[in-house]
């Protein structure tokens, strides 16, 4: 069978729709996870940055425990122990893990803001909450934006774990199913190549947008 014939067998409308359905699920899980993780991670970063108190201890405990246990294990725990359905389990597990990673990234951004700005804000009558919300956080998020987006890219790639762990048919899961329909080695590699290209285009586009936003965010 010629190369063109193999390609025509693979690139049918049904096969492409099948893969794009998986891609949509991958992006859905990744987007929800990163939004929730950014919110929760910001809260944990602020709490861990406090000088003392039980909330600082609890935030630190969460971050250290979650960061030092593989995400793959969190997927198993949340799916099997808590009996959550596949898609919610994927979102929850990635949110749990990514929250801890983003908390440390954002905390680094918080520590990078000049202390003189905080002191100047206090002299103008700002409360600690107002200083964090209006002065520190906007600068911190801008400084660590490339790292946050990089974490988003990591989440998109790591969703490929979900099919092998909980049989969730995201992009890689769909491609794995598709491979079972074709016997030729060349066809399998073509599917791998197509899926790799899809991951690359999405992640490269996100990285380029991050660089643009970092340069132009006023």
């Amino acid at each position: 069978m010629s190369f063109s014939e193999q390609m025509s067998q693979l690139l049918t409308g049904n096969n492409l729709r099948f893969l794009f359905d998986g891609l949509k699920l991958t992006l859905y899980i990744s987007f929800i996870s990163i939004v929730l993780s950014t919110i929760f991670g910001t809260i944990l970063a602020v709490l861990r940055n406090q000088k003392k108190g039980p909330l600082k201890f609890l935030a630190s405990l969460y971050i250290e425990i979650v960061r030092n246990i593989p995400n793959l294990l969190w997927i198993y725990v949340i799916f099997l122990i808590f009996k959550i359905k596949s898609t919610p389990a994927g979102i929850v597990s990635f949110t749990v893990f990514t929250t801890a990673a983003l908390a440390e990234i954002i905390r680094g951004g918080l520590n990078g803001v000049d202390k003189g700005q905080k002191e100047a804000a206090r002299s103008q009558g700002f409360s600690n909450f107002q200083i964090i919300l209006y002065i520190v956080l906007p600068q911190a998020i801008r400084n660590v934006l490339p790292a946050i987006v990089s974490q988003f890219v990591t989440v998109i790639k790591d969703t490929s774990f979900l099919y092998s762990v909980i049989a969730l048919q995201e992009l890689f899961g769909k491609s794995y199913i598709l491979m079972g329909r074709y016997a030729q080695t060349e066809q399998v590699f073509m599917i791998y190549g197509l899926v790799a290209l899809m991951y690359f285009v999405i992640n490269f586009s996100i990285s380029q947008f991050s660089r643009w936003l970092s340069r132009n965010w006023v």
Side-chain angles (χ1 to χ4, degrees):
M1 186 182 298
S2 68
F3 178 78
S4 60
E5 290 174 332
Q6 291 178 356
M7 288 295 291
S8 63
Q9 281 189 358
L10 285 175
L11 301 180
T12 64
N14 287 336
N15 285 350
L16 292 176
R17 280 193 295 272
F18 188 72
L19 288 176
F20 275 104
D21 285 343
L23 177 61
K24 287 190 289 186
L25 183 57
T26 290
L27 294 178
Y28 172 76
I29 292 171
S30 302
F31 179 76
I32 299 297
S33 299
I34 203 70
V35 169
L36 294 176
S37 298
T38 302
I39 295 170
F40 297 143
T42 300
I43 295 170
L44 286 179
V46 171
L47 293 178
R48 191 172 189 182
N49 235 24
Q50 302 301 305
K51 292 182 179 179
K52 57 182 178 179
L55 293 179
K56 174 184 174 67
F57 171 77
L58 291 175
S60 300
L61 185 65
Y62 175 90
I63 292 168
E64 293 303 328
I65 290 175
V66 172
R67 286 181 68 216
N68 289 288
I69 295 176
N71 192 21
L72 201 61
L73 187 57
W74 288 114
I75 299 171
Y76 274 115
V77 167
I78 290 167
F79 180 69
L80 297 177
I81 295 180
F82 294 99
K83 306 297 182 182
I84 302 176
K85 292 182 179 179
S86 296
T87 299
I91 293 172
V92 172
S93 60
F94 276 98
T95 299
V96 166
F97 188 79
T98 308
T99 291
L102 286 181
E104 285 298 273
I105 291 172
I106 295 170
R107 190 167 75 97
L110 294 175
N111 292 333
V113 176
D114 187 0
K115 293 181 180 179
Q117 297 188 40
K118 302 175 189 177
E119 295 169 0
R122 287 193 186 93
S123 70
Q124 296 298 315
F126 282 69
S127 66
N128 286 336
F129 178 78
Q130 289 174 321
I131 292 171
I132 292 173
L133 184 62
Y134 297 119
I135 297 174
V136 176
L137 269 180
Q139 295 182 69
I141 296 296
R142 179 179 179 178
N143 291 339
V144 299
L145 183 62
I148 292 175
V149 175
S150 176
Q151 193 65 38
F152 190 14
V153 170
T154 299
V155 170
I156 291 175
K157 292 186 294 184
D158 286 354
T159 55
S160 58
F161 295 148
L162 293 172
Y163 181 72
S164 61
V165 179
I166 58 177
L168 186 62
Q169 294 182 21
E170 38 64 58
L171 177 57
F172 184 78
K174 292 283 190 182
S175 69
Y176 197 80
I177 293 170
L178 197 58
M179 290 174 201
R181 301 175 184 174
Y182 297 94
Q184 297 291 330
T185 302
E186 294 84 355
Q187 293 174 322
V188 172
F189 276 105
M190 287 177 195
I191 296 172
Y192 270 126
L194 178 59
V195 171
L197 180 62
M198 294 169 73
Y199 277 117
F200 173 79
V201 169
I202 292 167
N203 291 329
F204 182 74
S205 300
I206 292 171
S207 299
Q208 290 298 105
F209 175 72
S210 167
R211 295 187 185 98
W212 178 87
L213 193 59
S214 182
R215 290 193 302 268
N216 294 279
W217 189 2
V218 178

